[in-house]
Structure formats: C-alpha cells, structure tokens
Amino acid sequence: MNARNKKIRSGALAAFFVAMLLGTLSMPAFGQNPRLDIKNLEALSKKASEVVDVNLDGSLLKLASKFMTDEDDREALGIIKNLKGVYVKSFTFEKPDDYSPADVEAIRSQLQAPAWSRIVSARSKHEGENAEIYLMTAPDGGSVLGMAIICAEPTELTVVNIVGPVDINKLSQLEGKMGIPRLGEQTDESPQKPEGHRAKP
Amino acid sequence: MRNHRPLLAPAILSVALLQTLPTGARAGDSEFHSLVERMSDYYQKGPVRHMGWLNFFANPFTAGGVSHFQMAIFDDVDASRTHAGEDLESSLASLVGPPYQPFVSVHDARSGEWTCIYTRESGNERTEMLIISIDSSDAVLMQMQLKPEAMRKWVEDPLERSRDARRGAQDAQRGQP
C-alpha cells in the first residue's frame, strides 16, 4: 500500500514538474513585448556613416495629434492618437557591403511567433531593397499590439517599431512621416499569412 | 508732503519693460544657466561671451511657434573629451537630467557631428526642446519652447527638422563673434 502510494505521489510530482516546465517554456510567447530592444543594433553604429534615432513617445504623439486638423491629416490622426510610441532607428552606410543580413538578426530574433507574425515581405531584385512588416497581436488574436518594419536597402537600414494599435491597411498614411520610410516605393509586394496569432479583420 | 512724481516715471517704465519679457523666459533662465554650467564643467571651459545679448533680443519674439530661445556656444572644446566616452548619448543624457526625454539623435561619422535633441512638457501644451550639437571642435546648446503647431512639424518630420537644427547650430558657430 505504502509503495503504491509512493508511486502515485512521485507520478503526480513528476506531472506537476512537467506542467511547470511547459508553463515556463510558454511564458516568453505571452511575455513578448511590442516595444523592441533596438539597442541590440548598436554594433552597426560603428559601421554606419550616419545613425539616426527617433523616439516619439505617447505624450508627444498625443500633443501633436491635437493640432492635426487638416483634412489630409484626418486618417493619420485616427492612427496616431491611439499609439503608445513610434521608434525609428536608421543607419546609412558608405558602401553596399558595409552591413550584412546577419546584422539584422538581432531584431528578427525578437520578432518570433506566436506573438509576432510576418505579414508582408517585399523585395526588389533590381534595387536590392527588402522590406518586411511584422505584426504583434494579443493572444486572443483580437487586437494589434504593435508593428515592426525592417526596411533594408544596399546602403541604408531602417527599423521602425510602432507600439499600440495600428491598422495595417492605414499604414500608408504614416509613410514618410515620423521617420517612417515610404514603403510604397517597394515592388513585388507579397503579403503573407500571419504565422503566429491571426489578427481579426 | 513729499513729491513722488520724479520716481513714478522710471517705475512705470520698469514695470512696462518687465511686462514685455515673457514670464517663462525669466523662470527658465536659471535652469538654462545651470545647464550651461554643467556643460562648462564637462568641457572645463566657459561658453563664448556676449551670447546673452542675442538671447535677450531673441527671447520676446515668437517665430514659427518657437519662443524663449536661448543659446550657448562652446568653441575650441577638447575633442578627445567629447569622444572619450563610448556612449556619448548616455553622457549627455545624464548631463541634461531626467525630466528631458530623448527625442532625436543624429550621428554623422564622416563629420564627427552629434546632434541630440531632448524634449519635455512645459505646461500650457507647450514643449520645451533642448538641442545639443557637438562636432570635433565646438558644442552648441540651444533651448526653446515650441507651441503645439511647431511641435507637430517636428513630429511629422523629425529627420528633416533635426537636419535644420544642425544647420542652425553650424550657422551659429560660424556667425559667432
């Protein structure tokens, strides 16, 4: 009887530890942050001829949005007023081979499923331009928590991190503003199915 | 009975003159001076003299939503000191203090120029902006207040505005007495 009880107890204990381990492993997925650690790219600063950092936090965006009264600004205003922050890091290089795709891995490694999903990958073979758009959605897939854009050109690399709810269909309204590059100039756009959570339309 | 009339005219004139000066400028003066002192300690030299007159005359005017403009230029600074730190931005951030938040920074490796721009709310929906522009030999410190419509332009195109600020700092360095 005692031996059987011991077996049951040790089995339950093992199951408990396995459950705990699985729980711990799944934590990073839910603990992923819509705010990327762009400082990971600091190593590139030494190779770049120009480095630009833009930090627009929620209070600045709110302040600026109060005065977006023009008709043309209406759509952009609808997006900006709900954002928590827009962060841009841009590097310009002297020569095309001054940075490698591996340098961008510091950012890509943060954009992992299930929270993040790549929704657009656009590539221009002629110009050597490459743009990727990633979306972070809530675990229920209902709301967008953030967006990341990696725009790589032969002599320029720009990483944009938008924190807060943003509608991918209205992203064009922000292009060319707040340091966000114009993605419309890219060609061969190929929207992809989100690999992680799927945002509700 | 004593005649107060001779004293009355200068008193009225003084009050009228004080009224023309923006109150924010008077309050912000000491803070700007303390920043200049911290920069002086950092570079172990004082700013170019007589800039106070330019600040005095620029202060009451509001052009393009910018007011309370103040500037200090440090010329012939020890360049090795500027570039000694691995992370100049963090050195500047500690120099500037926590109320200011980093807004834009531009580093041009070719010219060795750094432009760091910080902002903070200053009440009445205005933003106070601090621009520090440093090259191999000079450093310029600028402080100003921006009305929301001016700040909106910065938010819309921070890169172009910061390039304008850099050009402004370069012009100030060239035009110094």
Side-chain angles (χ1 to χ4, degrees), chain B residues 20-75:
Chain B
T20 61
L21 287 172
T23 50
R26 293 199 298 270
D29 272 356
S30 61
E31 194 184 45
F32 182 73
H33 288 146
S34 122
L35 267 170
V36 171
E37 274 173 23
R38 270 179 270 165
M39 284 283 275
S40 302
D41 288 345
Y42 182 76
Y43 283 117
Q44 295 173 346
K45 73 176 296 185
V48 172
R49 286 179 151 203
H50 311 301
M51 291 305 297
W53 285 104
L54 176 74
N55 295 335
F56 177 80
F57 286 114
N59 252 334
F61 302 107
T62 300
V66 178
S67 63
H68 300 158
F69 179 82
Q70 306 208 71
M71 180 165 67
I73 297 175
F74 296 81
D75 64 350

Side-chain angles (χ1 to χ4, degrees), chain A residues 25 37 44 58 61 89 92 94 121 137 149 160 165 175 177-178 189 193 197-198:
Chain A
L25 286 175
D37 186 4
L44 275 177
L61 290 171
K89 183 124 190 162
T92 306
E94 291 276 355
S121 177
T137 51
I149 302 166
V160 180
E175 286 178 22
K177 287 178 177 164
M178 302 185 287
E189 200 165 296
K193 273 187 179 178
H197 301 304
R198 298 188 68 175

